[in-house]
């Protein structure tokens, strides 16, 4: 009995201290009040922001190549392309792309684009790459081959750079379908038919219409189709009297309309079980030019000529690194539809990392004009990307 009493006397203080330390349960009203006070403190606290939170996204693409044309080689700085883009407000975004190369510095793009118009509408204005074809509005370093297809260079005049405005409408269909209408000073970066610095009547602008659609053909296959046409109602061409010796320069405006039309088809095979690095891309574009031509020396009119061109290529994805492919390009002369140039290109792309790429290509170009020799071109391209440099979906 004495032992039990002693144990009780020893344990009683410990039990009392434990009871004192036990939390007193809060009522529901007290807990809610405490939670409201904590939320109020968080709302009143200053937001933690970065000093660069409102700076635009920037990136730089560096692209160079060693090119050997018929045993005459040279190193080329193809591009140092700086892009700057940002949301301006909840309704508008803007971007600019500045390109430096062996030929100088050029402002390739500077545009504004709406982001919140109703009825699936979108307006883009400024200097932009017009929505003509598919590869036509790819920058050079984003092409699947090293050199721009000859048919696009011949018919468009380089990239589809244009100063103007576009209206895009996303159709309310089950599959992706889009319509674009555009109006520009001219179409084509190297197109010398018109001058951006010279004013003109509305009948001398170039107007574009394009309809495109995309659909999945099961889990592994997809197809994209586009139809487009660029129409220039009239142009003025003045005779060169220093060559012809005429007293008064003749100005030709009649029957000077130009229609540049085309279609593009892109098929993609990407196995659902193969990830992003397996599959195949087959792309084809055809283009037709219909215009009245002028003698390059006298600037006097000649005949109206209809010429055709286009290309087709296949590129395979063989894992994370390797992408081999081939391309065949056909281009008729704009002055003589019977003169045809064929260019075959084989290329192999090696993606060293996500931001660095090597590409080796061999091209053979030949035409059907008697006495003209063929060309053999071997090129090695090296491309690197710094920072944020995105041109939208290029390989979806």
């Amino acid at each position: 009995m004495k032992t039990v009493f002693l144990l009780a006397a020893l344990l009683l203080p410990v039990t009392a201290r434990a009871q004192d330390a036990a939390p007193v349960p809060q009522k529901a009203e007290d807990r809610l009040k405490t939670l409201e006070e904590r939320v109020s403190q968080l709302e009143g606290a200053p937001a933690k922001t970065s000093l660069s939170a409102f700076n635009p996204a920037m990136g730089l693409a560096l692209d160079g190549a060693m090119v050997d044309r018929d045993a005459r080689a040279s190193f080329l700085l193809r591009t140092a392309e700086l892009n700057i883009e940002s949301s301006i407000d909840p309704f508008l975004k803007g971007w600019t792309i500045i390109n430096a190369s062996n030929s100088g510095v050029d402002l390739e793009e500077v545009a504004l684009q709406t982001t919140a118009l109703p009825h699936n509408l979108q307006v883009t204005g400024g200097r932009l790459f017009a929505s003509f074809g598919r590869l036509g509005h790819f920058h050079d370093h984003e092409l699947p081959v090293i050199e721009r297809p000859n048919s696009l260079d011949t018919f468009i005049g380089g990239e589809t750079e244009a100063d103007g405005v576009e209206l895009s409408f996303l159709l309310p269909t089950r599959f992706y379908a889009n319509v674009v209408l555009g109006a520009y000073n001219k179409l084509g970066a190297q197109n010398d038919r018109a001058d951006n610095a010279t004013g003109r009547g509305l009948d001398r602008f170039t107007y574009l219409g394009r309809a495109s659609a995309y659909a999945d053909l099961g889990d592994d296959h997809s197809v994209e189709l586009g139809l487009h046409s660029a129409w220039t109602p009239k142009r003025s061409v003045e005779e060169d009297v220093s060559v012809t010796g005429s007293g008064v320069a003749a100005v030709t405006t009649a029957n000077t309309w130009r229609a540049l039309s085309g279609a593009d088809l892109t098929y993609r095979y990407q196995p659902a079980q193969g990830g992003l690095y397996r599959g195949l891309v087959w792309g084809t574009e055809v283009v037709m030019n219909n215009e009245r031509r002028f003698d390059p020396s006298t600037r006097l009119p000649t005949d109206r000529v209809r010429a055709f061109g286009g290309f087709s290529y296949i590129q395979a994805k063989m894992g994370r690194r390797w992408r081999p492919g081939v391309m065949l390009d056909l281009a008729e002369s704009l002055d003589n539809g019977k003169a045809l140039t064929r260019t075959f290109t084989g290329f192999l792309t090696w993606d060293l990392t996500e931001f660095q790429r090597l590409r080796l290509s061999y091209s053979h170009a030949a035409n059907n004009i008697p006495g003209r020799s063929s060309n053999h071109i071997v090129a090695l391209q090296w491309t690197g990307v710094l920072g944020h440099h995105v041109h939208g979906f290029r390989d979806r």
Side-chain angles (χ1 to χ4, degrees):
M1 189 67 180
K2 186 177 181 179
T3 304
V4 174
F5 178 78
L6 289 173
L7 289 173
L10 291 172
L11 293 175
L12 184 59
V14 176
T15 305
R17 286 194 299 270
Q19 291 177 348
D20 294 340
V24 179
Q26 282 185 302
K27 295 180 180 180
E29 294 82 357
D30 295 337
R31 291 199 299 270
L32 182 58
K33 184 178 181 180
T34 302
L35 182 60
E36 289 176 345
E37 291 176 352
R38 294 178 61 186
V39 171
S40 178
Q41 291 174 358
L42 290 174
E43 289 179 344
K48 295 181 178 179
T49 59
S50 169
L51 293 176
S52 61
F54 296 99
N55 286 344
M58 300 178 65
L60 180 67
L62 303 175
D63 184 58
M66 180 179 180
V67 180
D68 185 302
R69 300 177 186 272
D70 296 325
R72 298 179 66 86
S74 62
F75 287 99
L76 301 176
L77 170 62
R78 288 162 45 87
T79 183
E81 185 179 279
L82 174 67
N83 75 305
I84 305 170
E85 62 176 308
S86 178
S87 295
I88 296 173
D89 56 35
F91 314 100
L92 191 68
K93 70 176 182 180
W95 69 88
T96 183
I97 296 179
I98 303 169
N99 182 30
S101 65
N102 282 353
S103 58
V105 179
D106 180 42
L107 184 61
E108 283 196 337
E109 294 185 63
V110 52
L112 298 174
Q113 186 176 78
T114 62
T115 58
L117 289 182
H119 309 299
N120 297 331
L121 293 171
Q122 186 176 72
V123 176
T124 307
R127 174 166 293 180
L128 50 94
F129 276 22
S131 301
F132 187 93
R134 182 167 177 267
L135 293 190
H137 49 90
F138 280 33
H139 291 252
D140 285 344
H141 66 279
E142 294 290 333
L143 293 169
V145 290
I146 296 179
E147 295 194 317
R148 187 166 295 274
N150 181 47
S151 57
L152 297 186
D153 259 348
T154 300
F155 285 75
I156 298 175
E159 300 159 330
T160 62
E161 180 182 289
D163 290 9
V165 63
E166 285 187 351
L167 173 66
S168 173
F169 175 51
L170 183 63
L171 299 178
T173 56
R174 290 186 176 182
F175 57 92
Y176 173 87
N178 191 55
V179 173
V180 177
L181 300 175
Y184 326 96
N185 289 341
K186 64 174 184 174
L187 176 66
Q190 280 83 51
N191 178 7
D192 60 359
R193 295 172 179 83
D195 185 359
N196 280 322
T198 303
R200 72 211 70 197
L202 293 178
D203 59 350
R204 286 166 171 76
F205 280 80
T206 295
Y207 300 93
L208 170 72
R210 173 173 169 83
S212 60
Y214 171 91
D216 291 319
L217 307 177
D219 295 334
D220 300 338
H221 309 271
S222 65
V223 64
E224 183 175 357
L225 175 66
L227 301 172
H228 40 272
S229 181
W231 167 261
T232 307
K234 185 182 292 186
R235 58 187 289 220
S236 299
V237 182
E238 184 175 341
E239 174 189 359
D240 188 347
V241 295
S242 65
V243 176
T244 62
S246 301
V248 179
V251 178
T252 305
T253 58
N255 192 27
T256 55
W257 58 267
R258 182 196 184 201
L260 179 64
S261 306
D264 58 271
L265 174 67
T266 304
Y267 162 78
R268 297 177 181 87
Y269 166 66
Q270 185 167 311
Q273 304 300 322
L276 297 174
Y277 305 107
R278 298 285 181 183
L280 179 142
V281 178
W282 169 46
T284 298
E285 293 193 41
V286 293
V287 64
M288 186 270 290
N289 186 71
N290 185 350
E291 70 173 315
R292 189 175 192 179
R293 302 296 292 172
F294 290 79
D295 186 283
S297 59
T298 63
R299 306 281 289 170
L300 292 175
T302 56
D303 296 328
R304 175 166 291 276
V305 179
R306 179 179 297 177
F308 295 86
F311 63 87
S312 184
Y313 76 96
I314 295 178
Q315 185 178 44
K317 299 180 181 179
M318 304 181 65
R320 186 181 294 268
R321 298 282 183 260
W322 299 97
R323 287 179 291 150
V326 294
M327 174 181 283
L328 176 63
D329 181 274
L330 304 175
E332 292 180 343
S333 169
L334 298 183
D335 292 306
N336 178 10
K338 296 181 180 180
L340 175 67
T341 300
R342 298 181 180 88
T343 306
F344 171 81
T345 303
F347 55 95
L348 176 63
T349 302
W350 179 24
D351 291 324
L352 286 80
T353 67
E354 183 182 357
F355 306 101
Q356 184 182 181
R357 180 185 69 213
L358 289 175
R359 179 177 288 143
L360 178 67
S361 75
Y362 166 76
S363 298
H364 175 257
N367 54 54
N368 60 355
I369 300 176
R372 294 286 185 89
S373 60
S374 59
N375 296 320
H376 301 269
I377 305 170
V378 179
L380 177 63
Q381 178 189 28
W382 189 11
T383 306
V385 175
L386 289 75
H388 176 85
H389 194 86
V390 179
H391 292 298
F393 285 122
R394 287 291 187 254
D395 198 22
R396 63 182 183 274

